[in-house]
Amino acid sequence: MTMKTVAVAAAAVLGLACATPTPSATVTASPTAVPAVCPTPSGTVPAGDCGPFKQVFADSFSTVVPVGSFTSCAGDGDFRCAGLKTKYPAVYNAWGAYPRGWYDTAHPANHSNGNGRTHGGEYRADDTVSVFKQPNADGQMRVRMYRPAAGGDNHVAALVPRACMNMRYGKFTERLIVRTRTDGFKMAHLRYSPDEVDYPEAGGNFSTDPVSWFTHGFSEDGGDVAPGSVWTAWHTYSTEITPSGVRFFLDGKLVGQTSGDFPEATPWVLQNESSLDGGYAAPGSSVEIDTTWVTCYRYVP
């Protein structure tokens, strides 16, 4: 699901573990810097409830899972990857993914948004997703999207935190880094029903696009919140969905908001996919997206 970048409503952002990024040249306004209800500390996953948000899931990736383990993933309504069940039962219960045989938004077999791209990707969690430990024992989930050297479809991945699936309102937070702004790839982490909330999103292509948010259906709105250079440093991205609207945070600072009542309980999908504008992925090219923790909360006013 994609963003056509619209009028900007953004704020300068404050990095917690890296230098303060320079606001994008397209930024024209700054909303009041309302602190996030839930703290977003650098490097550590938040623990416990905060205000009206009751924590239901948190994962800092303590179990190493090699590439090739996220196999036999199911479709809508479940997303479980049967290949995890025997060796990694906790991961099997916690995480799902789009199955092999589903195609991303750019792929000619899909074109769900009417785009005219001639090359896209197949969801292949089986050979793109792993969990590893850094030398300092920090666990990270890695999505390595790539185009095979021989050409053909990109291999992409969309991960689903299963405990966060059936919530209409809540808070959804992740800390991630995009290792390179490789041409031909992007992300749109989203709630989709087909009403839509996307954040963080590279609207068309990592190589050119800023960090953005986007809403569709219940509210037609969006904005760019930070320059594209921000992708390649560690940042914490958070979306709050309540009956009064949606708020977007970068490193604990409010960077966008829109009114409107999101209408349905949906999965939270960490969707990583092929670019929708600019260049196509070159054969043999790849991009790694590493996530050090993920958490979600149910809204209980």
Side-chain angles (χ1 to χ4, degrees):
M1 317 319 159
T2 64
M3 172 179 179
K4 298 181 177 68
T5 305
V6 296
V8 173
V13 295
L14 175 64
L16 292 178
C18 47
T20 303
T22 303
S24 168
T26 60
V27 173
T28 59
S30 297
T32 303
V34 178
V37 172
C38 304
T40 51
S42 170
T44 58
V45 61
D49 301 340
C50 41
F53 297 103
K54 310 305 178 184
Q55 192 172 41
V56 298
F57 177 73
D59 195 351
S60 54
F61 306 113
S62 59
T63 301
V64 172
V65 182
V67 172
S69 302
F70 281 77
T71 58
S72 302
C73 301
D76 289 327
D78 187 288
F79 299 107
R80 287 185 189 269
C81 297
L84 294 167
K85 186 174 184 179
T86 300
K87 292 186 67 175
Y88 310 101
V91 181
Y92 169 76
N93 288 323
W95 287 92
Y98 280 5
R100 186 171 179 174
W102 283 17
Y103 297 95
D104 69 12
T105 315
H107 197 284
N110 186 355
H111 283 185
S112 58
N113 70 341
N115 73 86
R117 301 291 276 182
T118 59
H119 174 75
E122 181 183 5
Y123 290 109
R124 292 290 304 272
D126 61 299
D127 69 356
T128 60
V129 180
S130 62
V131 179
F132 67 99
K133 291 288 187 70
Q134 293 282 19
N136 65 356
D138 177 36
Q140 294 174 19
M141 176 176 277
R142 169 166 289 175
V143 174
R144 179 183 177 270
M145 295 191 288
Y146 71 97
R147 187 175 186 187
D153 291 342
N154 297 335
H155 291 211
V156 301
L159 280 302
V160 180
R162 297 192 68 260
C164 311
M165 283 178 56
N166 297 310
M167 291 191 290
R168 180 176 178 181
Y169 305 124
K171 187 175 180 82
F172 308 87
T173 305
E174 56 185 321
R175 186 167 180 82
L176 64 85
I177 185 171
V178 179
R179 296 294 182 180
T180 57
R181 296 175 65 196
T182 305
D183 196 17
F185 300 98
K186 65 181 287 291
M187 72 165 54
H189 291 185
L190 76 164
R191 307 282 306 286
Y192 179 73
S193 65
D195 291 89
E196 190 169 350
V197 175
D198 293 19
Y199 181 71
E201 173 159 28
N205 197 315
F206 278 138
S207 69
T208 57
D209 284 10
V211 179
S212 302
W213 62 273
F214 171 61
T215 59
H216 169 69
F218 73 105
S219 171
E220 298 293 335
D221 206 350
D224 301 335
V225 305
S229 58
V230 166
W231 290 117
T232 55
W234 284 104
H235 289 286
T236 302
Y237 302 90
S238 189
T239 301
E240 291 180 1
I241 304 176
T242 66
S244 60
V246 186
R247 300 199 300 173
F248 303 92
F249 297 86
L250 179 57
D251 296 329
K253 297 295 182 179
L254 181 69
V255 291
Q257 56 188 329
T258 188
S259 59
D261 190 0
F262 188 70
E264 294 181 41
T266 67
W268 180 27
V269 182
L270 312 185
Q271 179 178 269
N272 308 287
E273 58 181 359
S274 306
S275 61
L276 283 170
D277 59 37
Y280 292 96
S285 65
S286 64
V287 60
E288 294 173 347
I289 301 165
D290 293 340
T291 302
T292 189
W293 54 259
V294 169
T295 185
C296 68
Y297 308 76
R298 188 178 301 278
Y299 176 69
V300 184

